């Protein structure tokens, strides 16, 4: 009976494995945070590249509204997509023989697949936000007055007319 009880739960990582996983994620997350916090964000605040680059406004609006959400969607699909398909097909969570961090009981049917539906809704939402971002970018970049922008660029960017 004890053996049957153990099979209700997914296998867990050992304490040593959990520490190793957390340490490996810290190896990329901490340097990324430090580079963004100490170098990129201060440079972004002091820089006028958006104003001075010929397509700066386009890069800003399309980057924020289209490419950032698409990148987030791509990363989400690469990280979770395959597992979500397997969970949906097997109708089981966690997946068979997949180790988990905390004690997790196996669930089957809709209780397992609701994660897949939620993930699909998230993907569609990010895609809808990307479409909205595209139309917003088109509108915002069309509002830029080229003559006014040229005057500001000559003043702020040390650009002379050729």
């Amino acid at each position: 009976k004890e053996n049957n009880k153990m099979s209700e739960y997914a296998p867990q990582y050992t304490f040593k494995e959990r520490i190793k996983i957390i340490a490996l994620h810290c190896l990329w997350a901490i340097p990324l945070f430090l580079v963004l916090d100490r170098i990129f964000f201060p440079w972004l605040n002091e820089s006028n590249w958006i104003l001075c680059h010929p397509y700066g406004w386009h890069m800003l609006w399309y980057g924020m509204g289209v490419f950032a959400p698409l990148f987030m969607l791509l990363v989400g699909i690469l990280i979770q997509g395959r597992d979500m398909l397997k969970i949906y097909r097997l109708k089981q969570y966690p997946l068979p023989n997949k180790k988990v961090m905390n004690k997790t009981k196996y669930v089957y049917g809709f209780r397992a697949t609701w994660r897949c539906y939620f993930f699909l809704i998230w993907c569609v939402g990010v895609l809808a936000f990307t479409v909205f971002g595209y139309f917003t970018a088109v509108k915002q970049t069309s509002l830029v007055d080229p003559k006014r922008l040229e005057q500001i660029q000559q003043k702020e960017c040390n650009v002379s007319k050729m």
Side-chain angles (χ1 to χ4, degrees), residues 7-120:
S7 66
E8 291 181 37
Y9 293 93
Q12 279 185 268
Y13 288 109
T14 64
F15 180 75
K16 194 174 183 179
E17 288 173 321
R18 283 186 275 183
I19 295 298
K20 185 178 177 182
I21 290 169
I22 292 168
L24 286 173
H25 283 298
C26 286
L27 281 176
W28 67 265
I30 292 171
L32 176 65
F33 171 76
L34 290 174
V35 166
L36 289 174
D37 188 53
R38 305 283 183 213
I39 298 171
F40 182 71
F41 293 136
W43 171 81
L44 198 59
N45 284 337
E46 296 170 5
S47 174
N48 58 359
W49 70 268
I50 292 171
L51 180 63
C52 296
H53 192 279
Y55 296 104
W57 289 110
H58 289 79
M59 287 190 293
L60 173 72
W61 284 103
Y62 284 99
M64 280 188 341
V66 179
F67 298 117
L70 277 180
F71 180 72
M72 185 173 70
L73 180 64
L74 176 67
V75 169
I77 289 172
L78 288 175
I79 291 172
Q80 290 292 324
R82 183 177 293 154
D83 281 351
M84 289 298 144
L85 283 174
K86 287 179 185 175
I87 290 168
Y88 183 75
R89 255 184 280 152
L90 296 173
K91 301 205 179 333
Q92 174 185 337
Y93 179 82
L95 290 169
N97 299 319
K98 179 119 181 183
K99 289 187 173 184
V100 293
M101 288 286 196
N102 299 316
K103 189 174 182 179
T104 307
K105 200 172 190 177
Y106 283 114
V107 291
Y108 303 93
F110 180 75
R111 289 183 62 205
T113 58
W114 70 265
R115 290 165 178 79
C116 303
Y117 298 122
F118 182 78
F119 181 71
L120 183 63

Side-chain angles (χ1 to χ4, degrees), residues 55-69 128-144:
Y55 296 104
W57 289 110
H58 289 79
M59 287 190 293
L60 173 72
W61 284 103
Y62 284 99
M64 280 188 341
V66 179
F67 298 117
F129 183 79
T130 302
V131 171
F132 173 76
Y134 171 78
F135 288 113
T136 302
V138 168
K139 182 179 178 186
Q140 292 298 324
T141 55
S142 71
L143 293 175
V144 175

